[in-house]
Every structure is written in C-alpha cells, then in structure tokens.
Amino acid sequence: MLLFILKRLAQSLLVMAVVSAVSFSLFNFVGDPVNNMVGQDATREQRAEIREKLGLNDPILTQYVRFMGNAVRGDFGLSYRIRRPVDQLIMERLPATLELVFVSAVIALVVGIGLGVYTGIRRNTFLSRAILSISLIGVSLPTFIIGISLIYLFAVTLRWLPSSGRGGTVDLGWWTTSLLTLDGWRSIILPAITLSLFQLTLILRLVRAEMLEVMRTDYIKFARARGLADRSIHFVHALRNTLVPVITIIGLNIGGLIAFSVITETVFQWPGTGLMFIQAVDFVDVPIMAAYLCFVALLFVLINLIVDILYFVVDPRIRLGG
Amino acid sequence: MTDFSDPRPSRWQRLTDNDIFWSFIHSPGAMIAAAVTLLCILACFAAPLIAPFNPFDPAQISLWDGKLPPAWVDGGQPQYWLGTDNQGRDMLSTILYGGRLSILVGLAAVCLGMVLGVSLGVISGYVGGATDAIIMRIADVQLTIPGILLAILINGIGRAILPLEMREDFAIYVVIIAIGLTDWPQFARVARGATLVEANKEYVQAARVIGLPGWLIMLRHIFPNTLRPVLVIATIGLALAIIAEATLSFLGQGIPPTTPSLGTLIRVGNEYLFSGLWWITFFPALTLVVLVFSVNLLGDWMRDALNPKLR
C-alpha cells in the first residue's frame, strides 16, 4: 500500500516537474520579458538594470530553480497586461469557477442519479426510452453549441434569464459569492446546465446500467420476498450498491468539469479562471498562462492521486492484487 | 463442355461476400450515416464547383447585401438561399468552404495523431521492456487529462510562441498540431494491443528467424495487421477532432475569420444572435452537428462490425 502510494507520488512529482519546465520555458521563448515590463521610451541603461534586477543574466538553471522556488509559494510575478500579482488575480477569479463547477456537479448528480434510477427500474416505459434517446443527443452535441442554444432560447427569445456575467456578488472577505443573491442564481442557471449536461448523461447511463445489474441479484429478490416496500428496495438496497463505481467516475469527472468550464465560461462570459486563461493567450500574458498551466496540472495530479488511493481503499481486489 | 472461367469468386463477389459488407447492408443506421457523411464531404470538397458564390472574392461581396435572411423568410432574396452574413457573404457558399476547412483540419489532425500513436504503439509493443513502460506511462498520464483541455493548452502555448504577425497565417497548423498531439494515446494503446497479439504469431517468428531487422518487421509485417482497430479509433477520432477544431475556433483560438471554418462562422454569428440574426449561427452549427453526428454513428457501427467480441 505504502509502496503503491509512493510510486504514484513520484509519478505526480515528475508530471509537475515537466509542466513547470514548460511554463518556465514560456517566459524565455515568448517575447522579451523586459520589453513587457518597461515602456517604449526606456533607455538602454534602464533595460540593463531591469535585466539584472530580474536575474535574467543568471545561468538558465539558476533561473529555473528560482522560478520553481517562487512557484511553490504561488508567486508567478506580475501579469504583463494588468500589472498585478498573478496569484492575486487567480484567487479573485477562482470562486467564480469553483461555484460554477460545484453547482454543475450538484445538478449532474441529483438529476443524473434520479433519472438513472427511474430508467433503470421502469426500463420499458415511453418516458424512459425518451430520456435515453435525448441523453444520446446530449453526449454528441459540442458544449458550446448547447450553450448558444440555451442563450438563444432563454435569454434572447424568452428573455427569462441573463446571458452573460455573474450577476450580483457578495464579498465575504476571502470569497466573493454569487450564490447569495437572486440575480446571481439567475445568472448561474444557464452556464451550470450547459456544463453539467455531459456529466449528467454519463452518470445517468452508469447508474441505469448498474441498477439493471443489481435488480437481478438474489438479495433484491429476497428483499421483495420479505415484503419490503418498493421504495426501500430501490433506494436502500439497490441504489447503495451502485454507488461505488459512481463515486469513482464522479471523482475522475471533476477534472472534466474543470476542462469544459473553459469553454462554458467563454460562451457565457463568466468571469472565472478559464476565461482569464483564454484572454491571457490573446494578449500573450505569459505569467498568467504559466500560472494557469501549473494550477490545472496540480489539480489533475491531486484528483488522480485521490482517486487512485480511493480505488485502493474501496476495492479489496486491487489491494490484494497490487 | 468444360467451364474455363476462373473458379475463384470475382473481386466484386469477394467484396460483397464479406462480414463487414453484410453487417453494413443490414444496419440502416450505418448506411444513412455513411451516405450523409459522404454527402457532406463531397459537397464541401466540391465547394469551388457547386457553391453559388466565392466568399473569398471581394468582387462578389457587397455590404449592401449584408444580414439578409434566408430566401423563404420575409426580406430574403432568392439568390441567397440561406441568407447572408454580416459582410454580405452568401451563407451557403461560406458554409461549404468552411466545412471543407473543418474536415481538412480534422483529417490532418487525426493523421498526425495516428502516425505518432501507431508508431509509438507498435514500437512499444514490439520492443517491450523499459521503452514500453515509459511510452505507456506517458500515454496513461495524458489520458487522465480531458483532450479538449489539453488541446486548448497546447494551442495556447503554440499561439503564444508565434510572433503576432505570423499568428493568423500559422493558426491552422498550430490547431492541427495541438489536436494531433492530444489524440495519439488512443492510437498508441490500440496499436500496442494489436502488436502484442501479432508479435507472437508464427509469421513474425519466421521473419525474425530469417534475420530481418526489427524496424522492417514492425513496418511490413506487424503494422498492416494493426490497421483494423486503428481505423475504428480514427473514425471516432475524426468526429472528436472536428469538434475540437470547432471549439478552438469558437473560443477565438483557432482558424481566423479571414478563412473561416465552421467553428469560426459560429463564433462570428454568435455576436449577431442578440439582434435576432439567427441564421448566421444556426446553419453552420447545424452543418457541424449533422457532420459530427453521422461520422460518430459510422464509427460506432464500425467498432461493432470489426470487433465481433463486442457484438
């Protein structure tokens, strides 16, 4: 067990080293950092002074070690465009992304499991078939087309919901939330549905397949023979046993939600980290790009590590076999 | 009388007397999907011949004709069948040319991923040992990151490296490389699996006994036998690559509006959606969805037909 976790940890560190090396080389390959710091009219002496001050005359390895040292402390320097510390910018944008991901995950879970249980139990009704067919379309439509369609329907034609932005936010000191205002809730509905649709379909199909499997087992038949109520059989006996694979899939899919949040945030102009990255690419704002790369890599490494360990804890077969 | 004709079945008979052909004839979904895919591809590649206008010829564009609705809507003009966009370009022609670009970029990206993935996969399976471990580890790690995110990141780095004035001209190649680098692990896995099976067969052992070099065995003997499963991955990969290209272009990170692809057209049209000019977005989006959906169906059918274990 310890060896397994150590191996995974070593692999994660290796991934982080590669990603940070890519981020670091971005600084050197893309433009001249000095040009990005000073104005057009800076003298040669001023430029040389800044070069020296930034340590750009040091050997490349020294620079890399310094970059790593700063990165570990979350310091990626000043944004070229906005001229503010990058870690501050990310921390400002992070609540928006996390709230969007959180609300989408809740929608995907509640609706996905609910519909999955329904289609698993009443498998031959018209409604079940309709839900399954619609879910197939949901999987094959690109995210941004779903987003545009929702905007056209609910924001442009019906004018029920806003099409962009986060609405009113409340500052809690360390976290600005839009979940405490009515306006904020109205704004989050469309992006959250867009982001959750794909995951919702996955969970629906998974729960349905697992339910079909479990409903055939002996202990369900026995529960029926004992005369238990249908609801208790479905939700206490059957659903509980479908949850192990569902939990692992959800764990892995939090990464998917973060990936697609880049697209959803751009469609709905949601002021999160994904939109910030896309804008940073447009303006070649290297510090933000580097920070976002490292941030996303760290997130995925952590998620995978946790899911790997969870597998280990949940499934004894892996524990004994590994 | 003696029949001197060739007793072997003719080429046509061999083609039609085949599991895959039989399965194709007996699944209407696959036939429709194939027909629609073929129609889309033919129409897009024949764009210079069949498109009513050339959207890249400034002489044929007049801003006076801008933002006209489709022909059957009030205010539409018969020569602009699907209406015109904000610059007065005929939507139908623009979509045909854009679709051609989308399909080309998708094909190029899949080819890049396929060449990279299959070579690495075959080497990995044939050589084994540490080479195998390293290549497959990298593939595993990459597979944990959603492809579209990786494509956005690689594409972003690629764009940032290019000087500003070269960005638009090279955008297409950056997109192809970004998507190609994203989808190689799928090919590598499948090719490695097939190689492991083939490498133990007698013909490979025979080739080894007569002293053929390893690269020749991999190229001439093993590689052709990995093609069946690779073809399935390539078809599904094409649909994903077309979506990835459209997504990048929609995010403003892909093909520039001067030579629009379907994704770029949707992006441009999206700005006019609020003024009720729905057709500038709707028709490119519909084309994209129909194209991707039919390629996907074709891939699904192929997976079932070529892999009897899954049936």
Side-chain angles (χ1 to χ4, degrees):
Chain A
M1 166 88 186
L2 198 65
L3 189 70
F4 173 82
I5 292 182
L6 280 180
K7 254 180 166 171
R8 283 296 146 115
L9 215 58
Q11 192 186 319
S12 313
L13 284 178
L14 199 66
V15 172
M16 286 313 294
V18 171
V19 172
S20 64
V22 170
S23 312
F24 170 71
S25 48
L26 267 182
F27 280 96
N28 289 308
F29 281 127
V30 181
D32 180 4
V34 177
N35 269 348
N36 289 308
M37 305 284 287
V38 300
Q40 291 284 331
D41 47 349
T43 62
R44 194 168 291 164
E45 286 75 35
Q46 280 172 323
R47 284 170 193 270
E49 193 186 326
I50 289 175
R51 275 196 89 77
E52 189 59 43
K53 214 164 81 189
L54 289 174
L56 291 173
N57 296 327
D58 295 346
I60 199 97
L61 213 62
T62 320
Q63 290 190 41
Y64 178 60
V65 170
R66 191 166 46 223
F67 169 81
M68 283 294 283
N70 288 337
V72 168
R73 275 179 274 130
D75 179 6
F76 284 89
L78 297 178
S79 151
Y80 288 166
R81 189 167 65 102
I82 317 176
R83 300 195 184 279
R84 286 180 48 204
V86 170
D87 49 329
Q88 233 180 62
L89 288 171
I90 288 195
M91 288 321 271
E92 273 173 24
R93 297 290 199 111
L94 201 56
T97 300
L98 288 183
E99 279 179 5
L100 179 61
V101 167
F102 174 73
V103 175
S104 313
V106 171
I107 294 177
L109 268 183
V110 173
V111 181
I113 292 182
L115 292 181
V117 169
Y118 176 79
T119 49
I121 295 168
R122 309 244 180 282
R123 51 191 293 199
N124 286 325
T125 59
F126 173 74
L127 192 59
S128 286
R129 281 156 200 259
I131 291 171
L132 279 180
S133 318
I134 293 172
S135 78
L136 199 64
I137 298 172
V139 170
S140 47
L141 278 184
T143 315
F144 67 98
I145 290 192
I146 296 175
I148 296 177
S149 317
L150 287 180
I151 289 182
Y152 188 68
L153 186 61
F154 291 105
V156 178
T157 312
L158 296 172
R159 295 181 183 281
W160 286 352
L161 296 165
S163 66
S164 67
R166 224 180 146 198
T169 53
V170 178
D171 194 352
L172 300 179
W174 50 279
W175 187 277
T176 47
T177 179
S178 62
L179 298 182
L180 288 176
T181 59
L182 182 68
D183 197 30
W185 272 105
R186 277 162 46 88
S187 300
I188 208 169
I189 292 175
L190 289 184
I193 290 178
T194 308
L195 188 53
S196 68
L197 219 53
F198 187 75
Q199 311 294 335
L200 192 159
T201 326
L202 279 185
I203 294 175
L204 189 162
R205 299 192 148 249
L206 188 70
V207 170
R208 175 179 174 273
E210 291 287 328
M211 280 301 271
L212 287 177
E213 194 104 324
V214 169
M215 294 303 281
R216 258 184 266 146
T217 55
D218 285 342
Y219 72 89
I220 294 292
K221 286 182 195 146
F222 188 65
R224 267 195 220 293
R226 275 158 67 201
L228 294 179
D230 266 0
R231 202 173 40 176
S232 143
I233 295 173
H234 294 156
F235 287 95
V236 178
H237 290 79
L239 183 61
R240 252 170 77 172
N241 284 288
T242 65
L243 286 184
V244 174
V246 173
I247 287 170
T248 47
I249 289 286
I250 291 165
L252 284 172
N253 277 328
I254 291 176
L257 280 176
I258 294 195
F260 284 100
S261 74
V262 179
I263 304 165
T264 312
E265 282 176 11
T266 311
V267 175
F268 290 93
Q269 292 295 302
W270 186 261
T273 47
L275 184 62
M276 184 175 73
F277 174 74
I278 293 291
Q279 287 166 343
V281 173
D282 282 342
F283 291 99
V284 202
D285 200 338
V286 176
I288 291 186
M289 289 178 65
Y292 188 76
L293 273 181
C294 291
F295 168 68
V296 168
L298 184 68
L299 215 63
F300 272 88
V301 161
L302 281 181
I303 291 171
N304 281 312
L305 201 63
I306 292 170
V307 171
D308 273 341
I309 294 173
L310 267 186
Y311 266 138
F312 215 78
V313 175
V314 166
D315 194 338
R317 277 169 299 184
I318 304 175
R319 208 173 338 167
L320 298 175
Chain B
M1 272 249 323
T2 324
D3 185 8
F4 285 112
S5 65
D6 195 344
R8 286 178 303 172
S10 71
R11 259 169 199 277
W12 176 250
Q13 271 171 336
R14 265 184 288 161
L15 183 72
T16 51
D17 186 28
N18 165 311
D19 281 357
I20 297 166
F21 189 80
W22 191 89
S23 152
F24 184 69
I25 290 294
H26 287 82
S27 52
M31 286 166 74
I32 295 172
V36 173
T37 309
L38 208 64
L39 193 74
C40 285
I41 293 177
L42 280 181
C44 290
F45 279 86
L49 302 174
I50 59 171
F53 296 89
N54 179 359
F56 303 120
D57 179 8
Q60 293 186 24
I61 303 169
S62 85
L63 276 174
W64 291 111
D65 286 343
K67 303 178 187 174
L68 288 174
W72 61 88
V73 178
D74 277 349
Q77 288 183 14
Q79 74 265 36
Y80 302 120
W81 204 53
L82 298 180
T84 59
D85 70 359
N86 54 316
Q87 297 176 30
R89 295 186 290 204
D90 174 49
M91 280 314 294
L92 178 63
S93 316
T94 325
I95 288 173
L96 288 175
Y97 278 91
R100 186 172 66 160
L101 198 58
S102 285
I103 295 172
L104 276 178
V105 170
L107 282 175
V110 169
C111 282
L112 178 63
M114 188 158 72
V115 170
L116 201 64
V118 172
S119 340
L120 285 173
V122 171
I123 292 173
S124 186
Y126 188 74
V127 178
T131 319
D132 181 31
I134 293 173
I135 294 177
M136 282 301 123
R137 221 45 255 178
I138 297 175
D140 283 348
V141 169
Q142 198 182 318
L143 276 177
T144 58
I145 307 169
I148 190 73
L149 180 65
L150 206 60
I152 292 174
L153 295 180
I154 297 177
N155 190 60
I157 295 173
R159 283 173 79 84
I161 289 174
L162 286 175
L164 268 178
E165 63 275 10
M166 284 161 67
R167 258 200 205 178
E168 292 223 328
D169 299 335
F170 285 88
I172 233 184
Y173 305 105
V174 176
V175 170
I176 291 174
I177 292 172
I179 300 174
L181 286 182
T182 306
D183 63 5
W184 72 269
Q186 307 279 357
F187 290 106
R189 276 195 161 182
V190 167
R192 176 176 174 270
T195 306
L196 286 180
V197 174
E198 297 299 323
N200 286 325
K201 288 193 178 164
E202 281 171 356
Y203 74 94
V204 175
Q205 286 172 357
R208 228 182 278 183
V209 166
I210 61 172
L212 286 182
W215 63 269
L216 201 65
I217 298 180
M218 285 191 250
L219 189 68
R220 296 284 299 278
H221 298 254
I222 296 178
F223 167 69
N225 287 302
T226 61
L227 280 182
R228 266 194 171 202
V230 164
L231 207 64
V232 176
I233 302 284
T235 312
I236 298 174
L238 178 63
L240 291 177
I242 293 175
I243 291 187
E245 182 277 317
T247 306
L248 285 174
S249 297
F250 178 79
L251 296 179
Q253 310 282 306
I255 318 290
T258 40
T259 51
S261 71
L262 288 179
T264 322
L265 290 175
I266 299 171
R267 172 187 174 76
V268 172
N270 191 32
E271 289 163 23
Y272 295 92
L273 205 57
F274 291 98
S275 4
L277 309 178
W278 53 271
W279 58 92
I280 306 183
T281 317
F282 177 75
F283 293 118
L286 187 70
T287 315
L288 179 71
V289 170
V290 168
L291 179 64
V292 166
F293 198 61
S294 51
V295 174
N296 245 334
L297 270 182
L298 203 60
D300 275 352
W301 162 77
M302 222 188 255
R303 188 182 52 202
D304 295 346
L306 291 181
N307 195 347
K309 266 178 251 157
L310 290 176
R311 223 180 283 163

